[in-house]
Amino acid sequence: MNRYAHDLLTTRCAGWSSRCGYGGSNALAPSAAQPVPRTSARQQVPGIYRQKVGNILFTCITDGAVSFPRTDNFVLNVPPAEVEEALKAAFLPTDHINLPFSPVVLETAGRVVVVDTGVGEAALKASKGVGGQFHTNLRAAGYSAGAVDQVLITHFHADHIGGLITQDGTSAFPNAQIMVPAAEYEFWMDKGNAGRAETDVIRANFERAQRFMGILKEQVHQYEPGKEIVPGVTAISTPGHTPGHSSFIVSSESRKVVIQGDVTNYYSLFVDHPGWHVWSDMYPVTAEQTRRKLYDTVASEQLLLHGFHFNFPPLGHLTKAGEGYRYVPVAWDAYP
């Protein structure tokens, strides 16, 4: 996604390690036959977190993260000093932004469904394992890319569609339908829109989207908001970050989760202050209107919220707090 993809190449966040298993009455003891796995002191374990939503298994899988300097225009309509104070109050660094990526896998009605795909395998190598971890962690979670039935895309920025394509330029999910928002597809596929792009970053977004859709060809299917596009998953229109940005409501029995995509990214700033405008929103005023409308619903109905760029595991609830909202992360549940 615009500047994030470039900064990904120079970030110094930690990578992830391989899994460790448990089993048997002596599972915690070292064994000559099963040597204890050794990892770098700077590595974390694979980022996988499961949550039951009625009859749907909802799995958050990390794609890694990006770190980039915080410039004065990171928030467009607030003085930099005020942004710095908000970051200090949240015990966050003030000179740079750490932005995680967290796609989702759903098991619903016998189908395996992926929601957004991270920055892709090419970024895994270029970033030395910091970003592009999704496909590795997908396998660690027990899923094969070839067994995925549908991939749902919220919008066409690089950190959401990058994982659709392998490093050698072929489809990463060869047997899946790739479901994309119709309004998003129409905007980014339009050559006239591409010709009016005002910056190199936006032009790169057009080039990438058109190239990827050309590779995927007949796998691509467009969806409209307000419709159930896979069992238990309904698309909703949430424009502003991009023209056709969409989100999803995952519903089963009495449980609901909103997968918001990039309605906001850095929740310590834009959930607490929904009127603040992030530089990466293409239409900031529309993005603010969308954010307030969606978050009023999430808070009033006490829905669970998934944030693609929220700290892992990227699930929590919202409550109203003055002119904004308060984000309450889920308590880690070892037995979802």
Side-chain angles (χ1 to χ4, degrees), residues 231-244:
V233 182
T234 299
I236 57 174
S237 177
T238 50
H241 183 61
T242 63

Side-chain angles (χ1 to χ4, degrees), residues 3-334:
R3 190 190 307 170
Y4 301 155
H6 298 289
D7 289 310
L8 181 64
L9 304 183
T10 57
T11 185
R12 294 177 293 177
C13 299
W16 304 99
S17 72
S18 58
R19 289 183 297 169
C20 297
Y22 295 92
S25 59
N26 199 31
L28 299 182
S31 165
Q34 298 291 331
V36 176
R38 300 197 179 276
T39 61
S40 164
R42 295 188 60 186
Q43 288 181 319
Q44 305 282 15
V45 297
I48 299 164
Y49 186 77
R50 293 182 168 94
Q51 180 89 28
K52 285 302 294 290
V53 181
N55 292 319
I56 298 174
L57 182 62
F58 188 112
T59 303
C60 306
I61 300 181
T62 185
D63 185 55
V66 64
S67 179
F68 53 91
R70 181 183 68 87
T71 58
D72 286 348
N73 70 338
F74 183 74
V75 181
L76 298 174
N77 60 337
V78 175
E82 189 172 345
V83 177
E84 183 172 344
E85 287 304 311
L87 292 170
K88 287 180 180 177
F91 298 95
L92 292 169
T94 60
D95 62 339
H96 67 278
I97 300 294
N98 291 325
L99 203 64
F101 310 131
S102 295
V104 169
V105 178
L106 307 172
E107 290 186 41
T108 174
R111 305 183 190 184
V112 176
V113 180
V114 167
V115 184
D116 287 335
T117 65
V119 294
E121 291 181 337
L124 181 67
K125 181 178 180 180
S127 67
K128 299 181 180 180
V130 175
Q133 302 173 14
F134 175 63
H135 281 279
T136 300
N137 287 332
L138 183 69
R139 292 189 292 271
Y143 297 105
S144 163
V148 172
D149 298 292
Q150 277 100 12
V151 179
L152 313 184
I153 297 297
T154 58
H155 65 292
F156 279 12
H157 279 161
D159 52 336
H160 297 260
I161 67 171
L164 288 173
I165 304 300
T166 65
Q167 189 169 350
D168 61 3
T170 61
S171 175
F173 301 95
N175 302 313
Q177 291 181 325
I178 310 300
M179 312 290 290
V180 304
E184 189 79 349
Y185 186 93
E186 180 182 2
F187 177 81
W188 293 105
M189 295 303 105
D190 188 288
K191 294 187 183 301
N193 289 339
R196 289 185 289 272
E198 296 180 353
T199 68
D200 290 342
V201 168
I202 299 298
R203 281 189 285 272
N205 285 341
F206 276 103
E207 187 278 332
R208 181 188 308 107
Q210 293 177 10
R211 178 165 53 88
F212 278 24
M213 295 303 108
I215 291 170
L216 297 169
K217 295 179 181 176
E218 66 275 3
Q219 284 187 262
V220 179
H221 299 262
Q222 299 176 48
Y223 65 80
E224 297 287 350
K227 296 182 179 179
E228 186 179 60
I229 53 177
V230 298
V233 182
T234 299
I236 57 174
S237 177
T238 50
H241 183 61
T242 63
H245 184 283
S246 298
S247 302
F248 304 104
I249 298 176
V250 179
S251 178
S252 177
E253 297 179 341
S254 60
R255 300 289 309 279
K256 287 184 179 181
V257 180
V258 175
I259 300 177
Q260 65 142 31
D262 282 9
V263 170
T264 194
N265 48 27
Y266 214 54
Y267 67 78
S268 296
L269 294 181
F270 304 105
V271 171
D272 294 359
H273 307 281
W276 290 12
H277 296 168
V278 66
W279 70 272
S280 59
D281 284 344
M282 294 180 68
Y283 307 99
V285 173
T286 301
E288 177 187 343
Q289 294 168 347
T290 291
R291 186 160 47 249
R292 291 184 182 277
K293 180 179 178 181
L294 180 65
Y295 288 179
D296 279 348
T297 299
V298 169
S300 64
E301 297 185 16
Q302 299 184 342
L303 304 179
L304 194 59
L305 180 70
H306 171 273
F308 186 83
H309 294 298
F310 288 11
N311 290 340
F312 201 86
L315 292 167
H317 292 90
L318 299 180
T319 59
K320 286 288 292 181
E323 294 299 314
Y325 309 87
R326 183 171 70 96
Y327 177 66
V328 183
V330 294
W332 186 279
D333 186 353

